[in-house]
Amino acid sequence: MTIAIGQTAPDFEADTTQGRIRFHEWIGNGWAILFSHPKDFTPVCTTELGTMAGLKPEFDKRNTKIIGLSVDPVDSHKRWEGDIAEVTGHAVTYPMIGDPTLEVSKLYGMLPADAGTTSEGRTAATNQTVRVVVFIGPDKQVKAYLAYPMTAGRNFDEVLRLLDSLQLTAKHKVATPANWKHGQDVIIAGSVNNEDAKKLFPAGWKEPKPYIRIVPQPQG
C-alpha cells in the first residue's frame, strides 16, 4: 500500500526500545512523527537520530511525540544508541521500533509486499526506501509524508518548520507561504470568502492580488 495525506495512519503493535506499544494508543491525543531508517549502524542515520534526540525538547513544546524505526531488532537498536550518543553528544530518549519481520515497513509502503519476512541478510541498499518522515495529527490522520534518499541527511529544522505550519493551519483558517517561519505573515485560506475573512481578521489584510490575502500570523 501507499501512504497518502489525509488517510488514517496504519495502526500496529511492535516492540520498541522502551517496551511494546500499540501505535495509535501510544500517540494518544497529541501529534506524532514517525521517522524511519534503512539499517542500524549506518553513518547518515546515526547523525540523524542524534540530531532528533537533541531537538526532542522542541517537539515536546509542540505536544509531539517522536519515534524512530529501523528493520533491525530492538537489541540492535539498543547497541546503536551508544554510538549515537558518542558521535552526536545526544542520548536517544525516544523509542525506536524494531521491525525484524518488515511488517511495519510494509504497512507504511516503504517496502513491497514481496520483500520477505525477515531483516536478516538485508542491507542498507535493499532497505533504501525505508527512509521517510510521517507527520500524524491527534485524529491519527497523516498530515504530511516526506521521503529521502540514503545519501541526503534530513533537515530536521525543516521538519520542525513543517510541523509548526501543520499545527498552525489545523487551528486557524490560514496557509503558510514559501519559506515561512513561525512568527511571519501568513495567507488567508482560499476556502474563506471575503465576508467571513472580515469576521476572522477584522484588522484587514494586504492584497497584492485578489487571490492573495496576507495577514499577521494568528496567535494562540
Side-chain angles (χ1 to χ4, degrees):
M1 67 179 293
T2 57
I3 298 297
I5 292 172
Q7 78 168 83
T8 299
D11 197 13
F12 58 85
E13 281 192 44
D15 292 323
T16 79
T17 51
Q18 296 181 10
R20 191 162 183 83
I21 65 165
R22 165 71 69 174
F23 190 49
H24 282 192
E25 183 180 290
W26 175 83
I27 292 173
N29 297 319
W31 290 70
I33 291 177
L34 168 69
F35 62 111
S36 62
H37 307 83
K39 195 167 180 61
D40 293 356
F41 301 100
T42 50
V44 175
C45 295
T46 297
T47 65
E48 291 179 326
L49 285 159
T51 298
M52 200 64 153
L55 288 171
K56 187 176 182 299
E58 293 298 322
F59 291 101
D60 291 342
K61 290 177 188 175
R62 293 161 172 82
N63 191 30
T64 300
K65 292 182 175 180
I66 56 177
I67 190 165
L69 179 144
S70 168
V71 301
D72 294 309
V74 167
D75 60 347
S76 175
H77 294 352
K78 289 182 176 179
R79 294 195 304 272
W80 190 19
E81 285 180 349
D83 285 3
I84 294 165
E86 182 180 345
V87 170
T88 68
H90 299 294
V92 176
T93 57
Y94 52 82
M96 293 172 59
I97 299 165
D99 191 28
T101 63
L102 314 182
E103 179 183 351
V104 180
S105 298
K106 291 179 182 179
L107 195 61
Y108 276 76
M110 294 181 281
L111 287 175
D114 62 0
T117 58
T118 178
S119 62
E120 290 187 20
R122 296 184 66 86
T123 67
T126 56
N127 294 333
Q128 62 181 301
T129 51
V130 186
R131 195 155 160 69
V132 304
V133 184
V134 186
F135 298 73
I136 302 166
D139 57 3
K140 309 303 184 292
Q141 288 187 356
V142 174
K143 304 302 182 182
Y145 184 95
L146 307 175
Y148 293 78
M150 287 196 303
T151 51
R154 284 169 273 201
N155 184 329
F156 288 102
D157 290 334
E158 167 60 12
V159 170
L160 276 173
R161 190 196 75 89
L162 178 52
L163 177 62
D164 283 341
S165 176
L166 293 171
Q167 293 187 337
L168 178 70
T169 57
K171 189 172 183 179
H172 301 280
K173 293 182 178 181
V174 297
T176 56
N179 297 327
W180 173 87
K181 293 180 181 178
H182 183 75
Q184 295 180 342
D185 288 351
V186 297
I187 298 168
I188 300 173
S191 58
V192 180
N193 61 39
N194 280 349
E195 184 177 340
D196 290 337
K198 289 175 183 177
K199 299 173 185 175
L200 293 170
F201 305 97
W205 54 81
K206 293 181 288 184
E207 191 174 284
K209 292 290 181 181
Y211 55 88
I212 303 175
R213 297 166 295 174
I214 300 170
V215 293
Q217 176 184 314
Q219 301 301 311

